Amino acid sequence: MDIFSDLIMGLSIAITPINLLYLLIGAVIGMIVGVIPGFGPSAGLAILLPMTFGMDPIGAIMMLAAIYYGAMYGGTITSILLNTPGESATVASTFDGFPLAKNGRAGPALVMQAVASFVGGTMGIILITLLAPMFAQVSRSFGPPEYFLLALMGMLTLIVMIGENWRLGIISALIGFALGTVGVDLETGQGRYTFGSAELIGGIYFIPIAIGLFGLGELFFAFYSGLHRTGTGGIVNYETEERFWPTRMDWISTRMTMVRHSILGFVVGVIPGAGATIASLMAYSTERSLSKHPENFGKGEMAGLVAPETANNAASSGAMIPLLTLGIPGSASTAVLLAAFVLWGLRPGPLFMEQNPELAWGLIASMYLGNMALLAISIFAIPLFVQIIKVPYRVLGPTVVVICALGTFSVNASFVELYIMFAAGIAGFFMRLYGFSPAALVLALVLGPLAEEALRQTLAISRGSFSIFIERPASLWIIVVTIVLVVFLPLLNRFGSKAETAKKSGI
């Protein structure tokens, strides 16, 4: 009953005119960010975060969260019409989405992906509503040892999910940890790696690094890949199709697909470091294994589109649980969201929902409304987003550079941070080019200082003894879970990757 009353209170906050406006703006921007090939929620959030300064925290968080889960909707439009995923979480949607479009079923595919995204997102939010208070209650018993191990879990799971390039993932994470040490050591008061610069005494700010890596880095890589030359000649023209809406059989054949992959996606999303990409690949491979006609997958099977779409949206909802209840971001996108909370003096964690019920439940309630708005936008605004796809990169590129520069400079009016942003953009390009992980670097930059502080507090409590990690039941359980994840997640990653290999091989 408390959950229901809290949700009603959150709805009363979310439906105020100004918050509804921010929510709709965020949903539309999220769709646009998802539609632009090569970008994604991380880039969109990093670029637009500085522009929320001066806004009411509740409205700003609602808008940023809507950008985050709205990008999942938009990324599939290019997957279906262009065979080009708008972001990594919609890669699996190309496997059957584009064949459906080539078979003259682009309209039904676009509608079904919107419905699947809505079902996955909504079921994920329902599970957040039911489980987040329980997670918060359990995490109240956590101390510094548990928080250090949780930060370690988040980094290890992300690194092992990188797959064959896990060594480059470790290097990326170590770079992020190193950047996190810049500034004044709060325990000794000594400066670390400031090189005599007064602007580095407070450390390297998260925003210029995130904007550089995800905004400029992705843009530079898109230019290097030739996206500014390829144009949009490959867009499938859905407007000439005789039937835009799905058939009755489409709905019947995919109803259980939506249910089971909503649960799968949510569970994967809750695991720090796993994320929507692996959830979508696992969902596609699982659905193909369960199908009575696996030979149809890769040739335009509706279930092959619905499964990953449901899973990636449920995973984006699930990732909010460790963020809100533990203060641990499970992905690059939620790391940017965590930065947004910190900017307004808020600290997600075990007491966050109790101390900030208006914001926590207002955010959860807004996600219900946001998914309903995105369902309508996804279906009825398709012609608008098709026109956005056609905007050439030679126009889009300079615009993004200007927005990145203005956004970075507007935070602290610092030219040093502007230089850091451009340097991070160049570094982000080379990281993408040579297989390093910008996401691992950003997560390490966020989690590094948290892990360092927690480890120091832990060793102070135990007087330098590491046995405290196995003497506390909660710590021991986290170690066991981390070991299980590190051992089995690579197997699941390879299991999901088989779907992509099979699709490329025409199997």
Side-chain angles (χ1 to χ4, degrees):
M1 187 64 187
D2 288 339
I3 292 177
F4 183 74
S5 60
D6 288 336
L7 186 60
I8 294 297
M9 180 265 292
L11 279 171
S12 68
I13 295 170
I15 61 175
T16 59
I18 188 64
N19 286 339
L20 279 178
L21 177 62
Y22 289 146
L23 181 65
L24 290 174
I25 291 173
V28 172
I29 293 176
M31 287 283 293
I32 294 172
V33 166
V35 161
I36 300 173
F39 276 73
S42 302
L45 287 168
I47 293 170
L48 297 170
L49 175 58
M51 299 183 184
T52 61
F53 292 170
M55 293 173 54
D56 176 70
I58 296 178
I61 293 294
M62 288 181 183
M63 187 176 79
L64 291 171
I67 294 173
Y68 166 54
Y69 55 81
M72 297 294 174
Y73 283 74
T76 312
I77 295 177
T78 53
S79 296
I80 294 172
L81 299 181
L82 269 178
N83 199 29
T84 303
E87 54 116 7
S88 61
T90 58
V91 168
S93 301
T94 64
F95 299 168
D96 280 283
F98 189 65
L100 279 166
K102 289 200 299 183
N103 295 340
R105 304 205 67 211
L110 289 167
V111 174
M112 288 301 296
Q113 70 87 14
V115 173
S117 297
F118 171 76
V119 171
T122 302
M123 289 192 68
I125 301 163
I126 291 172
L127 291 172
I128 289 177
T129 305
L130 298 175
L131 299 179
M134 182 185 71
F135 270 80
Q137 186 69 32
V138 171
S139 62
R140 287 177 190 173
S141 62
F142 289 0
E146 288 76 24
Y147 277 100
F148 171 74
L149 292 173
L150 284 170
L152 195 63
M153 177 199 292
M155 287 309 310
L156 286 176
T157 51
L158 177 64
I159 289 169
V160 299
M161 293 306 290
I162 292 173
E164 296 179 356
N165 293 329
W166 62 269
R167 294 176 182 84
L168 300 181
I170 292 177
I171 295 173
S172 303
L174 291 175
I175 294 172
F177 280 128
L179 292 175
T181 63
V182 174
V184 174
D185 186 332
L186 296 180
E187 185 171 319
T188 64
Q190 297 294 316
R192 301 187 296 190
Y193 310 113
T194 59
F195 302 102
S197 172
E199 297 209 38
L200 292 179
I201 291 176
I204 294 179
Y205 206 35
F206 170 84
I207 289 178
I209 295 291
I211 292 177
L213 288 177
F214 296 120
L216 291 185
E218 294 291 343
L219 181 67
F220 295 158
F221 188 78
F223 278 117
Y224 176 81
S225 303
L227 285 179
H228 61 295
R229 294 193 303 267
T230 56
T232 54
I235 288 184
V236 176
N237 187 6
Y238 70 92
E239 295 173 347
T240 61
E241 296 179 6
E242 295 182 1
R243 185 184 181 96
F244 179 79
W245 298 98
T247 64
R248 182 169 178 268
M249 186 54 64
D250 289 330
W251 300 107
I252 294 174
S253 64
T254 58
R255 57 187 179 183
M256 292 309 297
T257 299
M258 295 184 192
V259 173
R260 57 176 164 260
H261 294 302
S262 293
I263 298 172
L264 171 66
F266 181 83
V267 171
V268 174
V270 170
I271 300 172
T277 301
I278 191 61
S280 62
L281 288 170
M282 285 176 58
Y284 183 86
S285 188
T286 302
E287 188 63 25
R288 187 171 182 268
S289 301
L290 295 174
S291 174
K292 295 179 181 179
H293 303 285
E295 68 279 1
N296 293 337
F297 280 68
K299 301 176 182 178
E301 178 67 28
M302 190 62 78
L305 172 64
V306 168
E309 276 304 294
T310 307
N312 65 30
N313 281 271
S316 66
S317 298
M320 299 295 287
I321 282 192
L323 174 66
L324 294 177
T325 62
L326 298 173
I328 301 293
S331 65
S333 300
T334 50
V336 181
L337 282 176
L338 177 61
F341 281 103
V342 174
L343 284 175
W344 284 289
L346 301 168
R347 184 64 191 167
L351 299 177
F352 178 73
M353 299 188 73
E354 180 180 324
Q355 295 175 348
N356 302 277
E358 295 85 2
L359 197 153
W361 287 101
L363 172 61
I364 293 172
S366 74
M367 293 174 72
Y368 285 99
L369 301 176
N371 272 276
M372 288 188 283
L374 284 164
L375 175 63
I377 294 170
S378 297
I379 295 175
F380 297 109
I382 289 173
L384 171 63
F385 294 112
V386 169
Q387 295 305 313
I388 294 172
I389 296 173
K390 296 179 180 179
V391 174
Y393 253 79
R394 63 179 178 272
V395 175
L396 183 67
T399 304
V400 171
V401 172
V402 171
I403 293 174
C404 288
L406 289 177
T408 300
F409 189 75
S410 66
V411 177
N412 293 315
S414 169
F415 283 102
V416 171
E417 291 182 356
L418 202 58
Y419 301 148
I420 291 173
M421 185 269 291
F422 280 109
I426 296 171
F429 163 71
F430 284 107
M431 290 181 76
R432 283 292 310 274
L433 185 62
Y434 293 108
F436 289 86
S437 174
L441 190 155
V442 167
L443 269 184
L445 178 61
V446 173
L447 293 178
L450 301 178
E452 180 188 6
E453 181 182 3
L455 180 60
R456 283 182 161 181
Q457 292 174 344
T458 299
L459 295 178
I461 295 170
S462 65
R463 296 182 180 180
S465 173
F466 285 92
S467 62
I468 189 173
F469 291 112
I470 59 175
E471 292 172 352
R472 294 167 64 101
S475 296
L476 189 58
W477 273 109
I478 294 174
I479 292 173
V480 171
V481 171
T482 302
I483 293 172
V484 170
L485 291 175
V486 169
V487 171
F488 287 103
L489 276 179
L491 301 177
L492 294 176
N493 192 18
R494 286 194 288 271
F495 177 65
S497 299
K498 288 180 181 178
E500 185 173 1
T501 304
K503 189 260 183 182
K504 290 179 179 178
S505 304
I507 298 175

